[in-house]
Amino acid sequence: MDVVANPSDLSEVFFTNYIPTNSQGVYKLKYYASRKDFDLKKIYKTGKDNYHGRPLGLAFDENNILFGTVAYLDTENNAGNSGISAYDRASDSFFYKSLKIGTAVRKPLVTDGYVWVPLPRDNNLAAVNYKGTVNTSDDEIFFVKKTDGLPT
């Protein structure tokens, strides 16, 4: 599980959840100070079934674009690849991009135009150049590996 507040609207909170009994996704809450309570605004389901689409971490970039990491993403094959997600405010939905690698992912770090994704089982990092947009079709993926000088 992970949780982040929207930097441009601190009353808006997103969190991830994965329980293998039909409860996985990203959730959006809205805090109402007058009631001192949250309302659930939307659930963004991240997989076609209980096994696929396990959301992990969330992070905002400096332009308030929300990114996430997803394990067992089922957009390309049934085995599931790890991937990233990007939240599109205009459509109130997430776009997904496969990293084309079937390994574990962790919480992303977003800085300087890149989504950095730790790949702990492979001792690698994925660096995704998202080109400043939520459109994942033009993203470029790079891997930083031990063979590239990454310390182990």
Side-chain angles (χ1 to χ4, degrees):
M1 259 183 102
D2 193 23
V3 63
V4 292
N6 179 349
S8 63
D9 178 3
L10 294 176
S11 68
E12 186 177 73
V13 176
F14 292 85
F15 73 92
T16 63
N17 186 37
Y18 171 74
I19 300 171
T21 54
N22 204 21
S23 181
Q24 84 264 29
V26 176
Y27 298 71
K28 181 169 67 173
L29 302 173
K30 183 79 172 175
Y31 180 73
Y32 294 94
S34 61
R35 297 189 341 242
K36 296 184 181 179
D37 198 9
F38 287 92
D39 282 350
L40 176 63
K41 290 300 185 181
K42 190 165 183 181
I43 300 172
Y44 307 90
K45 192 150 174 59
T46 53
K48 295 177 187 171
D49 56 39
N50 295 341
Y51 178 79
H52 290 93
R54 300 177 188 182
L56 293 160
L58 297 169
F60 279 93
D61 74 354
E62 55 274 4
N63 297 313
N64 296 329
I65 299 174
L66 177 61
F67 292 92
T69 49
V70 181
Y72 301 104
L73 189 62
D74 55 9
T75 58
E76 292 184 356
N77 65 55
N78 290 335
N81 289 323
S82 293
I84 64 165
S85 60
Y87 177 64
D88 179 38
R89 288 196 185 285
S91 65
D92 193 24
S93 62
F94 281 86
F95 293 113
Y96 296 92
K97 181 164 190 79
S98 172
L99 295 175
K100 303 193 184 297
I101 187 168
T103 188
V105 292
R106 292 293 177 257
K107 181 179 177 75
L109 170 70
V110 187
T111 186
D112 297 326
Y114 284 85
V115 179
W116 293 90
V117 181
L119 307 170
R121 290 189 183 157
D122 288 347
N123 198 28
N124 298 330
L125 284 170
V128 180
N129 179 352
Y130 63 95
K131 301 185 179 175
T133 71
V134 297
N135 179 358
T136 57
S137 66
D138 63 349
D139 293 353
E140 295 178 284
I141 303 169
F142 305 93
F143 292 97
V144 182
K145 306 174 185 176
K146 183 179 177 183
T147 55
D148 300 322
L150 185 68
T152 60

